[in-house]
Coordinates of all heavy atoms in Angstrom, one line a residue:
Chain B
V150 N 82.9 102.7 112.4 CA 83.0 104.1 112.9 C 81.9 105.0 112.3 O 81.2 105.7 113.0 CB 84.4 104.7 112.5 CG1 84.4 106.2 112.8 CG2 85.5 104.0 113.3
L151 N 81.7 104.8 111.0 CA 80.7 105.7 110.4 C 79.3 105.4 110.9 O 78.5 106.3 111.3 CB 80.7 105.3 108.9 CG 79.4 105.7 108.1 CD1 79.4 107.2 107.8 CD2 79.1 104.9 106.9
I152 N 79.0 104.1 111.0 CA 77.6 103.8 111.5 C 77.4 104.2 112.9 O 76.4 104.7 113.3 CB 77.4 102.2 111.3 CG1 77.4 101.9 109.8 CG2 76.1 101.8 112.0 CD1 77.2 100.4 109.5
H153 N 78.5 104.0 113.7 CA 78.4 104.4 115.1 C 78.2 106.0 115.2 O 77.4 106.5 116.0 CB 79.6 104.0 115.9 CG 79.6 104.4 117.3 ND1 78.6 104.0 118.2 CD2 80.3 105.3 118.0 CE1 78.8 104.5 119.4 NE2 79.8 105.4 119.3
A154 N 79.0 106.7 114.4 CA 79.0 108.2 114.5 C 77.7 108.7 114.1 O 77.2 109.7 114.6 CB 80.1 108.7 113.6
L155 N 77.0 108.1 113.1 CA 75.8 108.6 112.6 C 74.5 108.1 113.2 O 73.5 108.8 113.3 CB 75.7 108.4 111.1 CG 76.8 109.2 110.2 CD1 76.7 108.7 108.8 CD2 76.5 110.7 110.3
T156 N 74.6 106.9 113.7 CA 73.3 106.3 114.2 C 73.4 105.9 115.6 O 72.3 105.5 116.2 CB 72.9 105.1 113.3 OG1 73.9 104.1 113.6 CG2 72.8 105.4 111.9
G157 N 74.6 105.8 116.2 CA 74.7 105.3 117.5 C 74.7 103.7 117.6 O 74.8 103.2 118.7
I158 N 74.5 103.1 116.4 CA 74.6 101.6 116.4 C 76.0 101.2 116.8 O 77.0 101.8 116.4 CB 74.3 101.1 115.0 CG1 72.8 101.3 114.6 CG2 74.6 99.6 114.9 CD1 72.5 101.0 113.2
P159 N 76.2 100.3 117.8 CA 77.5 99.9 118.3 C 78.5 99.6 117.1 O 78.1 99.0 116.1 CB 77.3 98.7 119.1 CG 75.9 98.8 119.6 CD 75.1 99.5 118.4
Y160 N 79.7 100.1 117.3 CA 80.8 99.9 116.3 C 80.9 98.4 115.8 O 80.9 98.2 114.6 CB 82.1 100.3 116.9 CG 83.4 99.9 116.2 CD1 83.8 100.5 115.1 CD2 84.1 98.7 116.6 CE1 84.9 100.1 114.4 CE2 85.2 98.3 115.9 CZ 85.6 99.0 114.8 OH 86.7 98.5 114.1
Q161 N 80.9 97.5 116.7 CA 81.0 96.1 116.3 C 79.9 95.6 115.5 O 80.1 94.9 114.5 CB 81.2 95.2 117.6 CG 82.5 95.2 118.2 CD 82.7 96.3 119.2 OE1 81.8 97.2 119.3 NE2 83.8 96.4 119.9
L162 N 78.7 96.1 115.8 CA 77.5 95.6 115.0 C 77.5 96.2 113.6 O 77.3 95.5 112.6 CB 76.3 96.1 115.8 CG 75.0 95.3 115.7 CD1 75.3 93.8 116.0 CD2 73.9 95.8 116.6
G163 N 77.8 97.5 113.5 CA 77.8 98.2 112.2 C 78.9 97.6 111.3 O 78.7 97.3 110.1
M164 N 80.1 97.3 111.8 CA 81.2 96.8 111.1 C 80.8 95.4 110.6 O 81.1 95.0 109.5 CB 82.4 96.7 112.0 CG 83.7 96.2 111.5 SD 83.9 94.5 111.7 CE 84.0 94.4 113.5
T165 N 80.1 94.6 111.5 CA 79.7 93.2 111.1 C 78.7 93.3 109.9 O 78.9 92.5 109.0 CB 79.1 92.5 112.3 OG1 79.9 92.6 113.4 CG2 78.7 91.1 112.0
V166 N 77.8 94.2 110.0 CA 76.8 94.2 108.9 C 77.4 94.6 107.6 O 77.1 93.9 106.6 CB 75.7 95.3 109.3 CG1 74.7 95.5 108.1 CG2 74.9 94.8 110.5
I167 N 78.2 95.6 107.5 CA 78.8 96.1 106.3 C 79.7 94.9 105.7 O 79.6 94.7 104.5 CB 79.7 97.3 106.5 CG1 78.7 98.5 106.6 CG2 80.7 97.6 105.4 CD1 79.3 99.9 106.5
L168 N 80.5 94.3 106.5 CA 81.4 93.2 106.0 C 80.5 92.1 105.4 O 80.8 91.6 104.4 CB 82.2 92.7 107.2 CG 83.7 93.2 107.3 CD1 84.3 92.6 108.5 CD2 84.5 92.8 106.0
T169 N 79.4 91.7 106.2 CA 78.6 90.6 105.7 C 78.0 90.9 104.4 O 78.0 90.0 103.5 CB 77.5 90.3 106.8 OG1 78.2 90.2 108.1 CG2 76.7 89.1 106.5
I170 N 77.4 92.1 104.2 CA 76.8 92.5 102.9 C 77.8 92.3 101.8 O 77.5 91.7 100.8 CB 76.3 93.9 103.0 CG1 75.2 94.1 104.0 CG2 75.8 94.3 101.6 CD1 74.8 95.5 104.3
C171 N 79.0 92.9 102.0 CA 80.0 92.9 100.9 C 80.4 91.4 100.6 O 80.6 91.1 99.4 CB 81.2 93.8 101.2 SG 80.8 95.5 101.2
V172 N 80.6 90.6 101.6 CA 81.1 89.3 101.4 C 80.0 88.5 100.6 O 80.3 87.8 99.6 CB 81.3 88.5 102.7 CG1 81.5 87.0 102.5 CG2 82.6 89.1 103.4
I173 N 78.7 88.7 100.9 CA 77.6 88.0 100.3 C 77.6 88.3 98.8 O 77.5 87.4 97.9 CB 76.3 88.2 101.0 CG1 76.3 87.5 102.3 CG2 75.1 87.6 100.1 CD1 75.1 87.8 103.2
Y174 N 77.6 89.6 98.5 CA 77.4 89.9 97.0 C 78.6 89.6 96.2 O 78.5 89.3 95.0 CB 76.7 91.3 96.8 CG 77.5 92.5 96.8 CD1 78.4 92.9 95.8 CD2 77.4 93.4 97.9 CE1 79.1 94.1 95.8 CE2 78.2 94.6 97.9 CZ 79.0 94.9 96.9 OH 79.7 96.1 96.9
T175 N 79.8 89.7 96.8 CA 81.0 89.4 96.1 C 81.0 87.9 95.8 O 81.4 87.4 94.8 CB 82.3 89.8 96.9 OG1 82.1 91.2 97.2 CG2 83.5 89.6 96.1
L176 N 80.6 87.1 96.8 CA 80.5 85.7 96.7 C 79.6 85.2 95.6 O 79.9 84.3 94.9 CB 80.0 85.2 98.1 CG 80.2 83.7 98.4 CD1 81.7 83.4 98.5 CD2 79.6 83.4 99.8
L177 N 78.4 85.9 95.5 CA 77.4 85.6 94.5 C 77.8 85.9 93.1 O 77.6 85.2 92.2 CB 76.1 86.2 94.9 CG 75.4 85.7 96.1 CD1 74.2 86.6 96.4 CD2 74.9 84.3 95.9
G178 N 78.4 87.1 93.0 CA 78.6 87.6 91.6 C 80.1 87.7 91.1 O 80.3 88.1 90.0
G179 N 81.1 87.5 92.0 CA 82.5 87.6 91.5 C 82.8 89.0 91.1 O 82.1 90.0 91.5
L180 N 83.7 89.2 90.2 CA 84.2 90.5 89.7 C 83.1 91.2 88.9 O 83.0 92.5 89.0 CB 85.4 90.4 88.9 CG 86.1 91.7 88.6 CD1 86.6 92.4 89.9 CD2 87.3 91.6 87.7
R181 N 82.2 90.5 88.2 CA 81.1 91.1 87.5 C 80.2 91.9 88.5 O 79.8 93.0 88.2 CB 80.3 90.1 86.7 CG 79.7 90.6 85.4 CD 79.0 89.5 84.7 NE 79.9 88.7 83.9 CZ 80.2 89.0 82.6 NH1 79.6 90.1 82.0 NH2 81.0 88.2 81.9
A182 N 79.9 91.3 89.6 CA 79.0 92.0 90.6 C 79.8 93.2 91.2 O 79.2 94.2 91.4 CB 78.7 91.0 91.7
V183 N 81.1 93.0 91.4 CA 81.9 94.1 92.0 C 81.9 95.3 91.0 O 81.6 96.4 91.4 CB 83.3 93.6 92.2 CG1 84.2 94.8 92.6 CG2 83.3 92.6 93.3
I184 N 82.1 95.0 89.7 CA 82.2 96.1 88.8 C 80.9 96.8 88.5 O 80.8 98.0 88.4 CB 82.9 95.6 87.5 CG1 84.4 95.4 87.7 CG2 82.7 96.6 86.3 CD1 85.2 94.8 86.6
G185 N 79.8 96.0 88.4 CA 78.5 96.5 88.2 C 78.0 97.4 89.3 O 77.6 98.5 89.1
T186 N 78.2 96.9 90.6 CA 77.8 97.8 91.7 C 78.7 99.0 91.8 O 78.2 100.0 92.2 CB 77.8 97.0 93.0 OG1 79.1 96.3 93.1 CG2 76.7 95.9 93.1
D187 N 80.0 98.8 91.4 CA 80.9 100.0 91.5 C 80.3 101.2 90.7 O 80.5 102.3 91.0 CB 82.3 99.6 90.9 CG 83.1 99.0 92.0 OD1 82.7 98.8 93.1 OD2 84.3 98.6 91.7
F188 N 79.7 100.9 89.5 CA 79.2 102.0 88.7 C 78.1 102.8 89.4 O 78.2 104.0 89.5 CB 78.6 101.5 87.3 CG 78.3 102.6 86.4 CD1 79.2 103.0 85.5 CD2 77.0 103.2 86.4 CE1 78.9 104.1 84.6 CE2 76.7 104.2 85.6 CZ 77.7 104.7 84.7
I189 N 77.2 102.1 90.0 CA 76.1 102.7 90.7 C 76.7 103.5 91.9 O 76.3 104.6 92.2 CB 75.1 101.7 91.2 CG1 74.5 100.9 90.0 CG2 73.9 102.4 92.0 CD1 73.7 99.7 90.4
Q190 N 77.6 102.8 92.6 CA 78.2 103.5 93.8 C 79.0 104.7 93.4 O 79.0 105.7 94.2 CB 79.1 102.4 94.5 CG 78.3 101.4 95.3 CD 79.0 100.1 95.5 OE1 80.1 99.9 94.9 NE2 78.4 99.1 96.2
T191 N 79.7 104.7 92.3 CA 80.4 105.9 91.8 C 79.5 107.1 91.7 O 79.8 108.2 92.1 CB 81.2 105.6 90.5 OG1 81.9 104.4 90.6 CG2 82.1 106.8 90.1
I192 N 78.4 106.8 91.0 CA 77.4 107.9 90.8 C 76.9 108.5 92.1 O 76.8 109.7 92.3 CB 76.2 107.4 89.9 CG1 76.7 106.9 88.5 CG2 75.2 108.5 89.7 CD1 77.3 107.9 87.6
L193 N 76.6 107.6 93.0 CA 76.1 108.0 94.3 C 77.1 108.8 95.1 O 76.8 109.9 95.6 CB 75.7 106.8 95.2 CG 74.5 106.0 94.8 CD1 74.4 104.7 95.7 CD2 73.2 106.8 95.0
I194 N 78.4 108.4 95.0 CA 79.4 109.1 95.7 C 79.6 110.5 95.1 O 79.7 111.5 95.9 CB 80.8 108.4 95.6 CG1 80.7 107.0 96.4 CG2 81.9 109.2 96.2 CD1 81.8 106.1 96.0
L195 N 79.7 110.6 93.8 CA 80.0 111.9 93.1 C 78.9 112.9 93.4 O 79.1 114.0 93.7 CB 80.2 111.6 91.6 CG 81.5 110.9 91.2 CD1 81.4 110.5 89.8 CD2 82.7 111.7 91.5
V196 N 77.6 112.4 93.2 CA 76.5 113.3 93.4 C 76.4 113.7 94.9 O 76.2 114.9 95.2 CB 75.2 112.6 93.0 CG1 74.0 113.4 93.3 CG2 75.2 112.4 91.4
G197 N 76.7 112.8 95.8 CA 76.6 113.1 97.2 C 77.6 114.1 97.6 O 77.3 115.1 98.3
V198 N 78.9 113.9 97.2 CA 79.9 114.9 97.7 C 79.7 116.3 97.1 O 80.0 117.3 97.8 CB 81.4 114.4 97.4 CG1 81.7 113.2 98.3 CG2 81.7 114.2 96.0
V199 N 79.2 116.3 95.9 CA 78.9 117.6 95.3 C 77.8 118.3 96.0 O 77.9 119.6 96.3 CB 78.6 117.5 93.8 CG1 78.0 118.8 93.2 CG2 79.8 117.1 93.0
I200 N 76.8 117.6 96.4 CA 75.7 118.2 97.1 C 76.2 118.8 98.5 O 75.9 119.9 98.9 CB 74.5 117.2 97.4 CG1 73.8 116.9 96.0 CG2 73.5 117.8 98.4 CD1 72.8 115.8 96.1
L201 N 77.0 117.9 99.2 CA 77.5 118.3 100.5 C 78.4 119.6 100.4 O 78.2 120.5 101.2 CB 78.4 117.2 101.1 CG 77.7 116.2 102.0 CD1 78.8 115.2 102.5 CD2 77.1 117.0 103.2
A202 N 79.3 119.6 99.4 CA 80.2 120.7 99.2 C 79.4 122.0 98.9 O 79.7 123.1 99.4 CB 81.2 120.4 98.1
W203 N 78.4 121.8 98.0 CA 77.6 123.0 97.6 C 76.9 123.6 98.8 O 76.9 124.8 99.0 CB 76.6 122.5 96.5 CG 75.8 123.7 96.0 CD1 74.6 124.1 96.4 CD2 76.2 124.6 94.9 NE1 74.2 125.2 95.7 CE2 75.2 125.5 94.8 CE3 77.4 124.7 94.1 CZ2 75.3 126.5 93.8 CZ3 77.4 125.7 93.2 CH2 76.4 126.6 93.1
L204 N 76.3 122.7 99.6 CA 75.6 123.2 100.8 C 76.5 123.8 101.8 O 76.2 124.8 102.5 CB 74.7 122.1 101.4 CG 73.5 121.7 100.5 CD1 72.9 120.5 101.0 CD2 72.5 122.9 100.5
A205 N 77.8 123.3 101.9 CA 78.7 123.8 102.9 C 79.1 125.2 102.4 O 79.2 126.2 103.3 CB 80.0 122.9 103.0
I206 N 79.3 125.4 101.1 CA 79.7 126.7 100.6 C 78.6 127.7 100.8 O 78.7 128.8 101.3 CB 80.1 126.6 99.1 CG1 81.3 125.8 98.9 CG2 80.3 128.0 98.5 CD1 81.6 125.4 97.5
D207 N 77.3 127.2 100.5 CA 76.2 128.0 100.6 C 75.9 128.4 102.1 O 75.5 129.6 102.3 CB 75.0 127.3 100.0 CG 73.7 128.1 99.9 OD1 73.8 129.2 99.4 OD2 72.7 127.7 100.4
K208 N 76.0 127.5 103.0 CA 75.6 127.8 104.4 C 76.7 128.5 105.2 O 76.4 129.3 106.1 CB 75.3 126.5 105.1 CG 74.0 125.9 104.6 CD 73.3 125.1 105.6 CE 71.9 124.6 105.1 NZ 71.1 124.0 106.1
V209 N 78.0 128.2 104.9 CA 79.1 128.9 105.7 C 79.7 130.0 104.9 O 79.9 131.1 105.3 CB 80.1 127.9 106.2 CG1 81.2 128.5 107.0 CG2 79.5 126.8 107.0
G210 N 80.1 129.7 103.6 CA 80.7 130.6 102.7 C 82.2 130.7 102.9 O 82.7 130.4 104.0

Side-chain angles (χ1 to χ4, degrees):
Chain B
V150 169
L151 159 84
I152 293 177
H153 177 68
L155 292 173
T156 66
I158 293 173
Y160 164 80
Q161 281 83 356
L162 210 52
M164 181 269 294
T165 305
V166 170
I167 281 191
L168 260 177
T169 307
I170 295 167
C171 290
V172 167
I173 292 175
Y174 80 77
T175 307
L176 196 64
L177 290 171
L180 191 62
R181 210 178 277 271
V183 169
I184 287 178
T186 50
D187 275 359
F188 188 89
I189 302 168
Q190 287 155 353
T191 309
I192 301 292
L193 288 174
I194 294 164
L195 292 170
V196 171
V198 292
V199 167
I200 291 173
L201 264 182
W203 183 265
L204 289 169
I206 295 168
D207 187 52
K208 292 207 172 191
V209 180

